[in-house]
Amino acid sequence: MAGAKKQNFLHGAVILTVALIVVKILGAVYKIPLGNILGDDGYGYFLAAYTVYNVFYTVSTAGVPVALSRLIAASEANERTMQIRRYFRVALITFFVVGVICSLVMFVFPNELATMIHHPRSAQSIWALAPSVLLCCMLAVYRGYFQGRSNMFPTAVSQVLEVLFKVIFGLALVVVFRNMGRSLPLQSAAAISGVTVGSLAALLYLIVHKRRNYGDTPLPAQQADVPDSYINTLKALLIVAIPISIGASVQSVINLIDTWQMGLLQSGAGLSQPVADVLYGVYGKAQTLYNLPATIISSLSVSVVPAVAAQLALKNFRSAKKTSETALRITAVLALPMAVGLCVLSTPIMKVIYWSAAEQGGQLLMILGAASFFLCMVTVMTGILQAAGKERLPVIAAVIGGIVKIGVNWMLISRPEVNIFGAAIGTVCCFFVICLLDFLFMKQCFGEYPHLGKILIRPLVSTAVMGLSAFGVYQLCRLIVGDDPGRMLMMVYLAASIGAAVIVYLVMIIVTRSVTEEDMKLVPGGEKIAKILKMS
């Protein structure tokens, strides 16, 4: 069928990554001016509402795409077309009901939810986000269906549409409300309402795409399998989806507790409410940048689930292990330079992007940059464990990591000399612990641990050289032109540093063979690129 082509897991990851790059560019167009329009305090209301929304969103949707992807991929590998259709219908009905309930809670109790996290002025933003939970439940079902059939294109297009409409409507409304002289909480609510509009646009696209390309036409009798009963199908879906949702919800709950623990800035560190609001706002801005690598890497996690699930359904354990190790190595190749770049160029990145942010932003981003690598590895390892039917193990790791995060926050945020930096340090500790545990759990999937040397050593060498070059070019620019440039000149410094880092890293991953000719054959046009670069 037109538009219904399958992709291998790296091909699919490339499609999703390209879409995510577009999404992040559009997201920057949304969040950067928004952060500067609302200021640190107004952005804090926006972020607090998003934190509440993420809990409901994660509880209701996190397990759906992965569960459907895994179950549909296994069914397709065994040529069970009618079972695929039944999985989709059961999921659509089930999560429509879940979405309605979650949206109603946010719609009816926004003041109570805002007060619960010590951000009462975020109530209007919570209310404006309520409908998007239901819409995102439906989006999750459709995306899981397409991903299970190894077609990442619809998901990619829907993600771009979602953020495009969010940007257009969100920014337009916040500008209108600001010009009307509305309060900061109302401006924040206006900006965040674009999320709901974007979700609706993406859902309408997926509905139309499925009807055109995956219509439920009757099958010949010899091709029609007998699907499981509706009850058994629901049980199979929930057995996979619930642990995944719980694991993802743990992190959302941790973020919610993280927000709540910001009260320690006042009760423990002795800071005033306005100062605490500013610090939380700049912490949120640093978090936005720190989350960028994991968002890009999530493409690999999404693509690897149906690939590994299908191989395991056919009892092809050697191929499943090889696919998993390849995914982890590619993750390291991509995540390490992004993490190191955030660390060594943290201050200019914050000053260029959020020029009005408090001075602590650069230091916060430097700490969070270290955490971003562990978060990326966790993202892909979690996908592999879920594809292998070990979805409960990432939950255990996430709970333990969450306890570490809460404990470190509690000890450090209340110390005046540490204050907001305690939250960033807690994030590093949290994801290091989860990463270590997930790696140890991988043995239960394939009977042995992934080859850590093959995964990390060559990317580490390449990244070390890249990091030194980025830092060296930036310091050279400061030495030649000046130590305290304006924003535009600092942008030039930053562009030169990043440009040098990219060139050096591309050369190094070829020299060290961090990326192989075999890897290149899995991506569109990769074989031609490999020949040009003489990677054989």
Side-chain angles (χ1 to χ4, degrees):
M1 296 178 227
K5 295 179 181 178
K6 292 185 178 183
Q7 305 99 23
N8 63 60
F9 89 96
L10 272 184
H11 191 166
V14 169
I15 291 173
L16 290 176
T17 300
V18 170
L20 280 171
I21 291 171
V22 175
V23 164
K24 283 303 169 182
I25 292 171
L26 290 172
V29 172
Y30 178 59
K31 288 189 175 181
I32 293 172
L34 187 64
N36 291 311
I37 290 170
L38 296 177
D40 288 340
D41 47 352
Y43 195 77
Y45 309 147
F46 180 93
L47 182 65
Y50 240 118
T51 303
V52 173
Y53 161 75
N54 274 333
V55 172
F56 285 95
Y57 169 80
T58 305
V59 167
S60 57
T61 68
V64 185
V66 177
L68 267 183
S69 175
R70 173 180 144 191
L71 294 170
I72 287 175
S75 296
E76 188 157 46
N78 290 301
E79 300 181 347
R80 298 192 66 194
T81 303
M82 297 305 295
Q83 184 60 41
I84 291 173
R85 295 177 181 180
R86 182 150 294 182
Y87 275 131
F88 176 76
R89 290 169 184 167
V90 168
L92 200 62
I93 295 168
T94 302
F95 291 98
F96 175 82
V97 174
V98 172
V100 167
I101 294 170
C102 290
S103 287
L104 281 174
V105 172
M106 288 182 66
F107 192 82
V108 176
F109 303 107
N111 291 307
E112 291 80 359
L113 292 169
T115 302
M116 189 185 302
I117 60 169
H118 305 300
H119 284 271
R121 302 192 77 190
S122 66
Q124 292 97 326
S125 297
I126 293 173
W127 184 85
L129 274 173
S132 62
V133 179
L134 170 59
L135 295 171
C136 286
C137 281
M138 300 296 96
L139 278 172
V141 173
Y142 276 91
R143 286 170 176 167
Y145 173 84
F146 292 121
Q147 288 160 201
R149 305 200 74 167
S150 296
N151 185 2
M152 306 301 161
F153 183 78
T155 294
V157 174
S158 69
Q159 287 173 338
V160 173
L161 285 174
E162 185 178 5
V163 74
L164 179 62
F165 278 83
K166 178 177 75 173
V167 170
I168 293 171
F169 282 87
L171 284 182
L173 285 173
V174 75
V175 170
V176 169
F177 272 54
R178 185 178 186 183
N179 291 339
M180 291 172 63
R182 301 299 185 185
S183 65
L184 270 179
L186 280 176
Q187 289 180 39
S188 173
I192 217 165
S193 64
V195 175
T196 298
V197 178
S199 300
L200 178 60
L203 179 60
L204 291 175
Y205 162 75
L206 291 178
I207 291 172
V208 172
H209 187 86
K210 183 178 184 299
R211 286 182 178 177
R212 286 182 176 177
N213 298 285
Y214 295 89
D216 291 348
T217 54
L219 294 175
Q222 65 271 23
Q223 294 181 22
D225 57 291
V226 178
D228 300 339
S229 67
Y230 282 98
I231 292 297
N232 287 339
T233 299
L234 178 60
K235 285 181 180 177
L237 180 64
L238 294 180
I239 285 171
V240 179
I242 289 175
I244 295 171
S245 291
I246 291 173
S249 298
V250 168
Q251 289 307 317
S252 291
V253 171
I254 290 168
N255 290 337
L256 190 64
I257 294 172
D258 201 20
T259 301
W260 174 76
Q261 284 185 307
M262 292 303 159
L264 293 170
L265 290 171
Q266 299 170 67
S267 62
L271 304 178
S272 65
Q273 176 76 50
V275 172
D277 284 344
V278 167
L279 287 178
Y280 180 59
V282 76
Y283 176 62
K285 291 175 179 177
Q287 280 185 311
T288 299
L289 296 170
Y290 134 82
N291 280 319
L292 179 59
T295 304
I296 295 172
I297 292 299
S298 65
S299 304
L300 264 176
S301 179
V302 169
S303 294
V304 81
V305 170
V308 172
Q311 289 163 349
L312 291 176
L314 298 174
K315 309 298 182 184
N316 196 342
F317 299 105
R318 180 174 294 179
S319 291
K321 180 177 181 293
K322 183 179 179 181
T323 298
S324 300
E325 285 191 341
T326 299
L328 289 173
R329 179 167 48 78
I330 297 300
T331 300
V333 168
L334 296 174
L336 277 168
M338 289 189 286
V340 170
L342 289 177
C343 289
V344 301
L345 299 173
S346 58
T347 296
I349 288 172
M350 283 296 294
K351 286 185 177 179
V352 166
I353 295 176
Y354 295 112
W355 64 89
S356 63
E359 61 181 9
Q360 293 91 341
Q363 296 165 293
L364 286 167
L365 184 58
M366 181 175 65
I367 299 170
L368 290 173
S372 70
F373 169 71
F374 299 117
L375 176 56
C376 289
M377 298 301 290
V378 165
T379 300
V380 176
M381 283 193 282
T382 296
I384 294 169
L385 289 167
Q386 291 165 349
K390 306 294 182 182
E391 56 275 344
R392 290 173 177 79
L393 297 180
V395 177
I396 295 171
V399 170
I400 294 173
I403 293 170
V404 170
K405 163 74 171 167
I406 292 167
V408 173
N409 275 12
W410 200 272
M411 288 188 295
L412 296 182
I413 294 177
S414 58
R415 298 178 63 177
E417 68 273 19
V418 180
N419 58 74
I420 194 68
F421 298 105
I425 295 169
T427 299
V428 176
C429 296
C430 170
F431 286 107
F432 172 76
V433 169
I434 297 174
C435 184
L436 178 61
L437 291 174
D438 277 354
F439 180 81
L440 295 176
F441 290 150
M442 292 283 284
K443 187 175 183 180
Q444 296 192 31
C445 297
F446 311 111
E448 57 183 315
Y449 297 115
H451 198 297
L452 196 58
K454 290 181 180 178
I455 293 169
L456 283 181
I457 290 177
R458 291 177 179 180
L460 269 173
V461 172
S462 301
T463 301
V465 177
M466 180 222 75
L468 288 172
S469 66
F471 182 76
V473 169
Y474 184 75
Q475 294 301 321
L476 183 62
C477 288
R478 290 179 61 190
L479 182 65
I480 295 173
V481 182
D483 190 49
D484 189 22
R487 180 168 175 258
M488 294 304 297
L489 194 55
M490 183 172 286
M491 191 181 299
V492 174
Y493 290 7
L494 185 60
S497 302
I498 293 174
V502 169
I503 293 170
V504 169
Y505 190 67
L506 289 175
V507 171
M508 287 301 300
I509 61 173
I510 294 171
V511 171
T512 62
R513 297 188 180 275
S514 299
V515 176
T516 66
E517 183 183 16
E518 187 177 357
D519 296 332
M520 296 300 294
K521 290 178 180 178
L522 295 174
V523 301
E527 191 168 2
K528 292 180 180 178
I529 296 172
K531 287 181 179 178
I532 293 171
L533 297 177
K534 298 180 180 180
M535 296 177 68
S536 58

